[in-house]
Amino acid sequence: MKRLLLISLILCILSDASARSRNPEVGIVSSPRSAGIAMQIGGGYENISLLRVYADLYKVLDGHCTSPGYKADYHILFPLFDRKCKEDISYRITAGPGAAAGYARDTGKSCGIVAGVSAMASMDFSLRSFSVSLGFSAVLGCHLGFATRHENTLEWYKNGLTKAWIPEITIKYRF
């Protein structure tokens, strides 16, 4: 069901006429804290819409847990600096607000529902139809944990801020 919803969302965005005219980019996100897919619409001197769906790898890579959490976020990124080095090579710095939601672990807690506002900053290098981004993102939100069947906890999502310093690399292909 989740895969069907994700595929239909991506197809709706790609089929939109305004999205096709704004150079959509699709790629992968990779870092020690997450792995997933990213879709970006826009670029140059205009605002950029970035949608990411990824597995939250907290406590998975070090062997403490066997299954990851899952999160999605959406950001509106504003270009702060944009420079063309050559006709098909450019780089830019972007930053902007967003929202994040998912089902993931928090520091010292089991899996639970995560929701909050987020921020992202990135530096993008574009080479012809490929782009590579190095970014940082933070989430200020809540974590609803399920300790037992009748006991739930609602706390700040600590991993959203304490893990914000870990860089994320995104490699995208421009259509």
Side-chain angles (χ1 to χ4, degrees), residues 68-130:
Y70 300 97
K71 290 196 296 187
D73 59 25
Y74 176 79
H75 293 93
I76 302 279
L77 300 174
F78 303 101
L80 303 176
F81 181 79
D82 194 351
R83 171 83 67 187
K84 276 196 167 190
C85 299
K86 292 185 180 179
E87 185 175 323
D88 54 357
I89 299 174
S90 64
Y91 64 96
R92 69 175 171 242
I93 298 173
T94 60
Y103 186 75
R105 287 178 190 78
D106 197 10
T107 304
K109 307 288 180 203
S110 61
C111 275
I113 297 171
V114 175
V117 295
S118 61
M120 183 173 191
S122 70
M123 182 172 211
D124 306 333
F125 299 96
S126 297
L127 306 164
R128 293 189 181 105
S129 59
F130 288 96

Side-chain angles (χ1 to χ4, degrees), residues 16-40:
D16 183 21
S18 64
R20 284 192 305 252
S21 66
R22 295 178 63 194
N23 300 329
E25 297 181 22
V26 177
I28 59 170
V29 178
S30 180
S31 82
R33 69 177 186 162
S34 62
I37 60 171
M39 184 174 148
Q40 175 178 308

